[in-house]
Amino acid sequence: MRVQDQLWERGGNAANTSVVLAQLGVKTEFIGTLADSTLSRLMVEDFHKYGVLIDHCIYHNNCKPPMSCIIVNSSSGTRTILHSNRSLPEVMYEDFELLNLNNYTWIHFEGRNVEEVLKMSERVVMHNGQFIESHDRIQISLELEKPGLKPSFCKLLPKADVVFLSKDVAKESGFQNGEECVLKFSKDVKPGAVVVCAWGELGAWAVGPNGEVVHSPAFPPAKIEDTVGAGDTFNAGVIYALSRGSSILEAIMQGCKIAGDKIGHQGFKIDA
Ligand code: ADP
């Protein structure tokens, strides 16, 4: 079948979130594994373009980079994603151990490779233990997006200050809407943590330390062009707002607004 258009883009949840944060003016570093290949050079160029630091990325020779082929139906907006990740290793604790944590104020983890991410987050929690003032501590956020990691990811929940749950994870856990999801998961996170669940065109829900559930509507553009990475963009908006002291409601509204802006055009260039 012939298609109307085609486009090559750098991807990856944390990578997308990094690119958006950098455009919001945050000094941002992406730490991930990259295959030493032509496709990875596209990623590197894109990170450079947006000023995302990649000094601690780990390069692997003779690996095929993960790749997705995303078929977007221009009339319905639905996406069919064909993903392959054959051989690229994950970031390991030994890689994370090389970081000087004094250089970071916020660390966002993608909830994958759970045992290793658990060790990484425990290192950050240990590091935070030396500080009395909360503003000296590194904030930890965690995104649980892909279904199928339950129950192992439950170990990660008490480590994070902000937990992002996707609609897919919510549904897998038996919840029919964002409100139910954040309320139930708020029992599994550490006291005082914020739990967020975005739900496509319905916007997003969140709950914080006082137990009050807040909701932001979505802010759809006049025409939806590209919803790929809407959630990653939303996460960046929420992290940005919370890191600047916004309320939880303001933060999810900012996330929805920036995600709404993003889906109105191809790619991750935003009008910051
Ligand atoms: P993803 O599909 O990337 O997982 P989400 O469903 O988590 O994205 O949506 C993240 C945010 O993006 C939503 O809270 C909403 O603000 C915005 N969004 C996503 N899809 C739509 C849509 N079809 N219409 C309006 N806003 C949307």
Side-chain angles (χ1 to χ4, degrees), residues 79 167 198-201 203-204 218 220 224 227 229-231 234 256 259 263:
R79 296 169 303 190
K167 185 171 56 189
W199 209 282
E201 64 276 17
I224 296 177
T227 58
F234 168 83
C256 286
I263 65 178

Side-chain angles (χ1 to χ4, degrees), residues 79-145:
R79 296 169 303 190
T80 305
I81 305 179
L82 310 174
H83 180 68
S84 101
N85 187 2
R86 295 289 300 279
S87 58
L88 187 66
E90 299 278 355
V91 179
M92 303 302 282
Y93 178 72
E94 289 67 41
D95 307 314
F96 187 79
E97 217 178 6
L98 301 177
L99 305 179
N100 177 356
L101 293 182
N102 293 317
N103 293 335
Y104 303 90
T105 55
W106 189 300
I107 298 182
H108 175 71
F109 290 104
E110 243 186 80
R112 51 196 286 166
N113 198 19
V114 170
E115 292 307 322
E116 295 297 311
V117 170
L118 182 63
K119 285 189 264 177
M120 296 178 208
S121 54
E122 279 168 351
R123 180 177 175 225
V124 182
V125 172
M126 283 264 290
H127 168 88
N128 282 342
Q130 66 184 301
F131 300 111
I132 295 160
E133 300 290 341
S134 62
H135 60 77
D136 289 327
R137 299 187 196 128
I138 299 171
Q139 295 294 297
I140 300 176
S141 55
L142 168 72
E143 179 192 33
L144 298 174
E145 195 224 15

Side-chain angles (χ1 to χ4, degrees), residues 6-7 14-15 45 57 65 69 71 73 117-119 130 160-161 263:
Q6 53 117 335
L7 170 80
E45 275 169 27
C57 280
C69 174
I71 302 164
N73 181 326
V117 170
L118 182 63
K119 285 189 264 177
Q130 66 184 301
D161 301 286
I263 65 178

